[in-house]
Amino acid sequence: MRIGITGHRGLPDHVEGRVRLALAEAVKGCRPSDLVGVSCIADGPDAWFAQTVLDHGGRLEVVVPAEAYRDGLPDWHHEVYDHLFHRASDIHRTGLAESDAQAHMVGSELLVGLVDEVFAVWDGQPARGYGGTADVVAYARRTGVPVRVLWPEGATRG
């Protein structure tokens, strides 16, 4: 089972714990030997999902939306990004240089094309900018890739 992830970054701490539990519960039903998680490993749900897949015994594949992608992530996340990147069994690159909204959407489209299902840590609201979680969900649905929304009841993005 190849599962991709999309989700809101910058979630409040009290939502993070609930999302991590939802991700762990969602992968629990997968056989570790059959599980491949595909992630851009940004801070937040992308990285939480990647670590959850590895902790469950699955394999991780990483999508790099742009060569400058890591540099655009928060400095405090670089250590986590590097750790997950080096644990990946495969790296997929878009070939784009600049880490902008267009590259992020191209990376998400590449991710959707690699998976059987997408987990979306999504509040159901429109994207706050091009390439946001809602855009990725819409793209997956348009292309026939099932989406499983993992959003804790009553949670807000803050």
Side-chain angles (χ1 to χ4, degrees):
M1 181 63 160
R2 298 177 61 80
I3 303 170
I5 183 71
T6 187
H8 302 306
R9 296 171 58 198
L11 294 174
D13 291 343
H14 68 278
V15 175
E16 176 182 341
R18 294 171 64 198
V19 169
R20 285 179 179 264
L21 284 172
L23 290 168
E25 189 64 31
V27 301
K28 192 188 309 183
C30 300
R31 287 187 16 194
S33 60
D34 295 335
L35 177 60
V36 178
V38 183
S39 175
C40 295
I41 60 174
D43 51 298
D46 284 15
W48 305 335
F49 171 73
Q51 189 62 58
T52 299
V53 167
L54 292 170
D55 290 348
H56 188 65
R59 289 186 308 123
L60 173 64
E61 294 184 10
V62 169
V63 172
V64 180
E67 291 309 309
Y69 179 69
R70 179 189 178 274
D71 294 337
L73 297 172
D75 289 344
W76 57 263
H77 181 65
H78 289 178
E79 184 178 337
V80 172
Y81 181 93
D82 294 345
H83 169 75
L84 293 169
F85 187 89
H86 289 101
R87 300 261 331 255
S89 62
D90 204 357
I91 308 293
H92 307 276
R93 299 177 187 274
T94 65
L96 299 172
E98 294 300 314
S99 186
D100 56 17
Q102 178 68 30
H104 298 172
M105 190 63 197
V106 170
S108 293
E109 290 170 356
L110 175 59
L111 179 147
V112 168
L114 293 168
V115 301
D116 303 307
E117 182 179 17
V118 173
F119 288 175
V121 178
W122 179 46
D123 64 0
Q125 299 299 309
R128 293 182 177 171
Y130 179 68
T133 303
D135 294 336
V136 179
V137 167
Y139 178 79
R141 289 177 173 162
R142 274 195 318 274
T143 58
V145 176
V147 175
R148 185 185 318 183
V149 176
L150 303 173
W151 188 252
E153 189 172 328
T156 60
R157 286 171 65 181

